[in-house]
Amino acid sequence: MVTEGLHTQPIKDIVAKVTLMGFNCIRLTYATFMWTRPDYGNKTVAQSLDSMNLTQAREGIARNNPQLLNLSLQDAYEAVVDAIGANGLMLVLDNHVSKPMWCCASEDGNGFFGDMFFDPKEWIEGLTQVASRFKGKPQVVAMSMRNELRGPRQNLPDWYTNMTEGAKAIHSTNPDVLVLVSGLNFDLDLSFLNTTPFGLTLDNKVVYEAHWYSFDFTQQWQTQPLNRVCGQCADEFQREAAFLITGDNAAPLILSEFGVDVRGVNQDDNRYFNCLLPTVADKDLDWALWTLQGSYYYREGKAGPEEVYSVLDYNWDKPRDPKYLERLTILQQTIQDPNSIALSYYVLVHPESGFCVNVEGQDNVHGSSCRERSKWSHSGDGSPIQLVGSELCLKAVGDGVPVALSTDCKSPWATWKLVSDSMLHIAAMDEQGNSLCLESTSSNYSSILTRSCACLNNETNCDPQSQWFRLVPSNLS
């Protein structure tokens, strides 16, 4: 129940690192029992750590954040919220579990209404307590009602009844915060809202949330054709959750958890992330990354374990992998503005590098940071990819040759279409009628080439990721 990392750095230094890495919000978890049961919430930070023999963590907090050590767990949580807000960051307060423990297992007693530790009345009491405690703190922009509902008790009648009551309780207590509504099956499934809407808008404060990891939807990232797997997973995410942001009754959606083993050793994670990134960028979803913390005080019976999904290293000193942060750049940028009257255009993104296809000078097409983005127009399959404000188009010159800019925008080698099940291969024809796809490889991500398209027949042992690109719509002026 003690916010992680306080033993490693002064909290102001941790928050400063979050800002420097380009993030603007923290999803701060809490347990219901901390707010509903005095024997939990009234313990001091020191007492909580001592009860688990976490001597090193206690000593670290005494060195780095001594002002927190003798505060109650509730007061320490609020102090963390205030420190985060003082540094200009927003917060989503996330009801992660009822009983404090590692999350999540299907039958851990924390999964669904009526489970051993998940009494609906106590849960609503906890939501109300938190909504009241943080009312008037503008940095608290949202409350997530519950993380990853799951387990054998799941059913729709109880979901609608309890989530409706929880949302009303938050909104009636603190009408300023957004209310995040999670679905079923570990936050994967909101599809039932397609036929039976939630029925509450709470003055436009309702936001839906979903999760997506490599082990969701499929576990076949290495055993099945990658173009097919990516296409199927993106379609599944659309059916289960992302459908909410389209249509006559569109509603906001946040991808409130995704993440990978940042060490780069998990091939399922690596492939999944190259599929997820363009999908999320294309929809311009808000999101929360799992996770910041490089280590824990305690997890599943072990003191001081490492978290390999973290953006920070074990000691919370520096980014675990700066290249990973670079790849997140396109997602950290505003891509679409619903209030903009500017004409829409596209940003051309290469997921494997996180770079955008940009133009420098008159004719230098290259991959570089998405902090600066060239604007492209494209009207669909069989049309040119044209540099906005010019008469220049991307042109395939030959196999293994850098792509060029040309005023010849009507020839087959300057007209482009999507050619794979992943919808991430962008191809033109060469003068011999062969399909050539955009490509950028790890040997030189700044170079944008065209090569013979790979893996279009869904060969199992074929890796197309260097040829994955996405035209991401944008309307920023």
Side-chain angles (χ1 to χ4, degrees):
M1 291 184 289
V2 181
T3 302
E4 303 288 352
L6 298 174
H7 63 309
T8 65
Q9 309 274 327
I11 188 169
K12 63 180 179 59
D13 293 346
I14 296 173
V15 177
K17 288 181 175 67
V18 174
T19 302
L20 285 172
M21 291 187 293
F23 300 105
N24 62 4
C25 186
I26 290 177
R27 178 175 176 251
L28 192 64
T29 64
Y30 69 88
T32 298
F33 287 5
M34 189 170 78
W35 301 97
T36 60
R37 302 192 180 191
D39 54 332
Y40 284 84
N42 289 344
K43 279 185 178 178
T44 66
V45 170
Q47 289 170 339
S48 180
L49 297 172
D50 287 345
S51 70
M52 304 184 73
N53 296 316
L54 298 174
T55 304
Q56 290 186 344
R58 188 188 196 280
E59 292 173 348
I61 293 178
R63 285 192 306 272
N64 290 293
N65 293 285
Q67 75 281 8
L68 302 178
L69 197 61
N70 293 312
L71 295 182
S72 72
L73 292 175
Q74 290 185 1
D75 289 345
Y77 188 89
E78 183 171 10
V80 169
V81 168
D82 289 342
I84 292 170
N87 283 270
L89 292 174
M90 299 177 286
L91 292 106
V92 174
L93 306 185
D94 169 53
N95 178 222
H96 215 64
V97 290
S98 291
K99 181 179 180 179
M101 63 172 62
W102 177 251
C103 182
C104 299
S106 291
E107 299 186 49
D108 59 8
N110 272 314
F112 197 72
F113 307 106
D115 279 0
M116 182 182 298
F117 309 120
F118 196 169
D119 176 73
K121 291 183 179 179
E122 184 176 18
W123 170 71
I124 288 177
E125 179 189 348
L127 294 177
T128 304
Q129 291 280 353
V130 173
S132 177
R133 180 77 173 242
F134 296 99
K135 185 177 181 180
K137 293 184 184 290
Q139 71 269 35
V140 177
V141 297
M143 287 180 57
S144 171
M145 284 198 287
R146 189 68 171 202
N147 174 69
E148 296 197 351
L149 293 167
R150 59 197 180 276
R153 287 183 181 270
Q154 292 180 101
N155 66 87
L156 286 176
D158 283 351
W159 185 91
Y160 279 100
T161 297
N162 290 299
M163 295 300 272
T164 298
E165 292 304 309
K168 289 180 178 178
I170 292 172
H171 187 67
S172 64
T173 305
N174 186 349
D176 294 328
V177 296
L178 300 172
V179 179
L180 271 56
V181 180
S182 59
L184 299 174
N185 191 23
F186 294 87
D187 271 5
L188 298 180
D189 184 10
L190 289 159
S191 62
F192 48 88
L193 295 173
N194 217 346
T195 54
T196 308
F198 186 46
L200 291 179
T201 62
L202 304 179
D203 299 322
N204 293 322
K205 290 297 195 296
V206 170
V207 177
Y208 298 96
E209 63 174 315
H211 294 178
W212 181 9
Y213 287 97
S214 65
F215 42 80
D216 298 324
F217 305 137
T218 184
Q219 296 183 356
Q220 298 180 322
W221 291 100
Q222 296 186 70
T223 60
Q224 293 296 315
L226 193 49
N227 279 316
R228 180 188 299 162
V229 171
C230 177
Q232 290 173 345
C233 286
D235 289 347
E236 188 74 5
F237 178 63
Q238 176 68 27
R239 287 191 297 269
E240 297 292 306
F243 72 91
L244 286 163
I245 66 173
T246 61
D248 295 336
N249 298 309
L253 173 73
I254 178 173
L255 182 63
S256 57
E257 273 190 35
F258 72 95
V260 298
D261 184 334
V262 182
R263 297 172 301 174
V265 298
N266 186 316
Q267 289 305 313
D268 281 1
D269 279 358
N270 297 341
R271 294 178 174 203
Y272 135 88
F273 187 62
N274 287 339
C275 181
L276 173 140
L277 188 147
T279 304
V280 175
D282 185 67
K283 302 177 188 304
D284 196 24
L285 295 177
D286 284 341
W287 48 272
L289 181 69
W290 189 270
T291 186
L292 176 68
Q293 62 266 18
S295 59
Y296 297 93
Y297 304 123
Y298 181 89
R299 172 175 166 178
E300 298 180 291
K302 183 179 179 181
E306 183 176 16
E307 171 58 84
V308 298
Y309 276 50
S310 64
V311 293
L312 289 176
D313 65 4
Y314 180 83
N315 293 317
W316 297 60
D317 286 327
K318 60 184 183 301
R320 184 180 291 274
D321 182 3
K323 291 181 180 179
Y324 180 57
L325 291 176
E326 178 64 41
R327 295 178 68 195
L328 292 171
T329 299
I330 185 62
L331 301 185
Q332 291 178 321
Q333 311 298 308
T334 300
I335 302 174
Q336 298 175 31
D337 180 357
N339 298 314
S340 174
I341 60 173
L343 295 175
S344 61
Y345 56 89
Y346 290 98
V347 178
L348 187 50
V349 179
H350 181 246
E352 189 175 55
S353 63
F355 283 175
C356 287
V357 178
N358 293 321
V359 176
E360 183 178 13
Q362 295 296 315
D363 57 2
N364 180 17
V365 181
H366 65 287
S368 60
S369 172
C370 288
R371 291 178 181 85
E372 299 292 335
R373 307 190 293 263
S374 292
K375 301 177 180 180
W376 305 95
S377 66
H378 181 65
S379 57
D381 281 354
S383 67
I385 298 175
Q386 186 166 354
L387 187 64
V388 171
S390 79
E391 297 181 354
L392 300 174
C393 301
L394 291 181
K395 179 180 179 180
V397 179
D399 193 349
V401 179
V403 68
L405 285 175
S406 172
T407 56
D408 178 14
C409 296
K410 295 183 179 180
S411 64
W413 43 93
T415 54
W416 302 83
K417 62 181 180 179
L418 303 177
V419 293
S420 67
D421 289 349
S422 64
M423 306 297 285
L424 295 172
H425 278 84
I426 303 176
M429 305 287 283
D430 66 12
E431 296 185 4
Q432 288 72 44
N434 301 309
S435 291
L436 295 177
C437 283
L438 295 176
E439 179 175 291
S440 183
T441 66
S442 58
S443 61
N444 184 8
Y445 279 135
S446 65
S447 180
I448 309 298
L449 315 173
T450 54
R451 288 194 189 275
S452 179
C453 298
C455 316
L456 299 190
N457 295 319
N458 285 323
E459 301 90 337
T460 300
N461 296 315
C462 185
D463 185 354
Q465 296 173 93
S466 64
Q467 294 187 346
W468 281 0
F469 288 79
R470 173 60 61 87
L471 283 159
V472 174
S474 182
N475 66 350
L476 300 184
S477 57

